[in-house]
Amino acid sequence: MSDTAVILMAYGSPERVADVPAYYADIRGGRPIAPEHLEDLVARYRALGIEDANPLNAITEATRAALQAELGLPVFTGMKHWQPRIAAAVDAALDQGATTLVGLVLAPHYSRLSIAGYRALLEDALAGRAQLVFVESWHDDPGFVAFLADRVRGTSAHVVFTAHSLPARIVDEGDPYRDQLLETARLVADAAGVADWSFSFQSESPTGEPWLGPDILDHLDELAAAGVGDVLVCPVGFVSDHLEIRWDIDNEAQERAAGLGLRLERIEMPNDEPRFVATLADIVRGALSAVPA
Ligand code: FEC
């Protein structure tokens, strides 16, 4: 029995197409869903071939198992919008006797609209029953930066770093999300010796308010107009192969690029690659070592 456990948190993905309405309702948090938006989402998941089983959650499970082996500590998966829920992961860790929990989100950049939501779910479930060590952000972690730098080093293509967009009002509210994203991009480009790069957002949702831009699809138009021929997409805001990568980049952006005569490739996502898992383990150890004895 260990007195420390890790709660490894991820966005979560519906296990099968039939789960999509409930999953989307969870994301919307009770706010109404336009039928055409639900149909569109079902079509995107169906196009990825997850009719009866979803390999996307399996990636998170593989990352969890590898992190547990690397750390020699119990690691529990908690999903923000699907099962296993963050609350179930907390209960499982406490049932096994954990008195300290490390909260780590599989998303490197802090926003009040993303990481703070994971933290609130974790704290509510914990209700003071154990000590919490929460990793707010790991966007400038040297291991993460070096990992991504190796993915883009030596390319002759124009590198486009991307991340999930969020409503644009967060910038006026002082949210660090965009600054952290740009810092990751700059650190990776510098470490890789890449001078020809830019940043764009992706995966904006139809919520009726302006989102942070430029969106990658518009950005591809601009790059083509500027005479760029080859693009390498490096999604710094995500770490695994999920809908936002496999649909938004591999289908939508790829289709736009093809129409513009651009050659578009993207880096392989970190997923459960041993070097990335070792980086996550270092982040957990660093967070634990910062706790006063
Ligand atoms: O593979 C999968 O099944 C799940 C992929 C997935 C990831 C992801 C990550 C982030 N999101 C973030 C913010 C928002 C905001 C809204 C929003 C909506 C959706 C919808 C789907 C979805 N997100 Fe997501 N997100 C993923 C999937 N996301 C599906 C709903 C349909 C749609 O709009 O396309 C808008 C909510 C609202 O309607 O009010 C805001 C952020 C991240 C990156 C950080 C993280 O991973 O937590 C930020 C993966």
Side-chain angles (χ1 to χ4, degrees), residues 32-102:
I33 298 174
E36 63 273 23
H37 292 159
L38 177 59
E39 279 166 32
D40 177 60
L41 187 59
V42 167
R44 278 184 272 153
Y45 278 110
R46 191 156 269 148
L48 292 186
I50 70 144
E51 197 63 43
D52 299 312
N54 184 347
L56 308 182
N57 286 329
I59 294 172
T60 307
E61 169 52 21
T63 308
R64 183 208 65 77
L67 182 60
Q68 178 166 283
E70 177 79 23
L71 281 170
L73 292 175
V75 179
F76 300 87
T77 300
M79 304 289 197
K80 196 181 203 180
H81 294 297
W82 203 243
Q83 297 137 11
R85 295 281 177 177
I86 290 170
V90 168
D91 285 345
L94 296 183
D95 285 351
Q96 285 199 9
T99 53
T100 297
L101 298 188
V102 181

Side-chain angles (χ1 to χ4, degrees), residues 144 147-148 151 238-240 267-273 276:
F144 178 55
F147 181 94
L148 290 181
R151 292 284 208 253
F238 301 111
V239 297
S240 48
I267 64 158
E268 289 291 313
M269 300 306 287
N271 291 324
D272 62 339
E273 207 175 297
F276 175 63

Side-chain angles (χ1 to χ4, degrees), residues 124-185:
D124 286 354
L126 195 53
R129 291 180 290 162
Q131 181 184 29
L132 175 61
V133 180
F134 191 87
V135 179
E136 294 266 329
S137 145
W138 42 280
H139 69 286
D140 56 356
D141 176 80
F144 178 55
V145 169
F147 181 94
L148 290 181
D150 283 355
R151 292 284 208 253
V152 299
R153 184 173 291 109
T155 184
S156 56
H158 175 89
V159 177
V160 179
F161 297 102
T162 68
H164 204 294
S165 185
L166 279 174
R169 62 182 148 83
I170 65 165
V171 173
D172 293 337
E173 292 165 1
D175 195 285
Y177 184 66
R178 187 172 67 175
D179 287 345
Q180 289 192 359
L181 288 167
L182 292 173
E183 191 180 357
T184 305

